[in-house]
Amino acid sequence: MRKLISDKENTWCIGCGNFGIFNAIRKSIKELVEEDHTLSDFVMSSGIGCHGKIFDYLDISGLYGLHGRALASAQGIKMANPQLHVITFGGDGDSLGEGLEHTLFAAKRNMDVTLILHNNGNYGLTTGQASPLSTLGFKGLSTPKGNVEPPFSAINLLMEAGASFVARGYSAKIDHLSDLMRRAILHKGFSFIEVLQPCVSYNNTYELYNHRCAIMDSIPDNTEEARRLALDTNSIRLGVFREEERPVYHEAVASRAPAMTIGQRIAFLQENQ
Ligand SMILES: Cc1ncc(C[n+]2csc(CCOP(=O)(O)OP(=O)(O)O)c2C)c(N)n1
Ligand code: SF4
């Protein structure tokens, strides 16, 4: 496990839910490496924000994206080398505000990458502005009298866009979250995990989640039932909402064009610059 921690100083606030996400992904990767993977099978991209600092702390290869553009980088990486498991870390502002279009289209085309959404319900790094997932009434720097916009349902939005694996975890339930991450990484197609992540400085939701989160025993029977469960705020469901197989983008593209090795691709790009 120690191998997966870089030597960079960690500046997340003490108690931040990002630590749980960090520990869960390390656990998933460690287990996969102990089975039949190597560390070089995994690559990450991240957005900009407190969540994005995971890029500095997690010792695997990757690319630090621009704000909202982490999935654009991830898709490029996957197209260039389909053998890799590409894991993207995004914030609720990053992936559903600045980068919403990349998120929806990656899900629509069933790009074979994983998006782990650190949902802390605000823009943490820039000190507490409202995000697309901030709750009604959320008080922060940009909404001192309370947020008047209802939030998106991240789960329902991604199901509607076409994500083939959709799940929700909680950063304080590390074993459960790590299992979800493992399933998401191994899933062939676009996999999305909304992680409920308390931000102790601007949106401390530990008490709410500790009381209301409930792990589902099984995947809902159909999309309608999944949607209904995803919206329940009294019993906040954790687990997999959808897991299905459908054609993935890089294979669909490859089936229409002769396959090229990475070397041939680079030569092709250089010749056609
Ligand atoms: C294009 C662009 N717009 C705005 C910013 C400023 N900015 C940096 S981080 C951030 C908010 C990040 O919020 P979120 O994605 O929810 O991540 P968190 O910090 O909460 O983990 C913003 C607005 C930026 N860096 N780039
Ligand atoms: S501001 Fe919030 S999200 Fe950012 S490190 Fe601190 S607790 Fe975590």
Side-chain angles (χ1 to χ4, degrees), residues 223-267:
T223 302
E224 202 179 325
E225 177 67 354
R227 277 201 204 107
R228 191 185 67 75
L229 293 173
L231 290 177
D232 192 342
T233 49
N234 288 319
S235 170
I236 303 173
R237 303 306 204 287
L238 305 180
V240 178
F241 287 82
R242 171 190 283 168
E243 187 172 27
E244 64 187 26
E245 276 188 36
R246 62 185 184 86
V248 293
Y249 184 80
H250 67 274
E251 288 182 356
V253 169
S255 70
R256 288 168 191 240
M260 281 193 233
T261 63
I262 294 179
Q264 285 169 330
R265 272 168 213 245
I266 292 169

Side-chain angles (χ1 to χ4, degrees), residues 48-51 67 91-94 98 120 122-126:
I48 301 296
C50 295
H51 67 275
H67 200 17
D92 45 316
D94 187 84
E98 283 80 0
N120 58 10
N122 81 106
Y123 283 33
L125 189 70
T126 45

Side-chain angles (χ1 to χ4, degrees), residues 10-19 49-51 53 118 120 122-128 197-203:
N10 193 309
T11 58
W12 283 327
C13 306
I14 293 168
C16 174
N18 277 320
F19 286 101
C50 295
H51 67 275
K53 295 182 185 180
H118 301 222
N120 58 10
N122 81 106
Y123 283 33
L125 189 70
T126 45
T127 65
Q197 179 237 313
C199 163
V200 288
S201 295
Y202 304 107
N203 192 24

Side-chain angles (χ1 to χ4, degrees), residues 63-163:
L63 201 149
Y64 215 147
L66 297 174
H67 200 17
R69 309 297 179 247
L71 264 180
S73 316
Q75 293 178 75
I77 295 168
K78 186 71 189 183
M79 291 304 286
N81 187 351
Q83 304 303 321
L84 293 170
H85 289 290
V86 188
I87 307 164
T88 294
F89 299 92
D92 45 316
D94 187 84
S95 301
L96 297 180
E98 283 80 0
L100 179 65
E101 71 283 24
H102 295 294
T103 305
L104 297 184
F105 280 90
K108 172 181 177 287
R109 59 176 71 106
N110 203 26
M111 201 74 205
D112 188 17
V113 300
T114 297
L115 172 61
I116 295 172
L117 186 87
H118 301 222
N119 175 12
N120 58 10
N122 81 106
Y123 283 33
L125 189 70
T126 45
T127 65
Q129 296 87 1
S131 84
L133 295 189
S134 293
T135 48
L136 265 179
F138 168 76
K139 286 191 178 159
L141 202 62
S142 60
T143 53
K145 294 189 176 175
N147 182 25
V148 295
E149 293 181 35
F152 284 139
S153 158
I155 297 286
N156 287 352
L157 189 65
L158 269 290
M159 284 201 295
E160 189 58 33

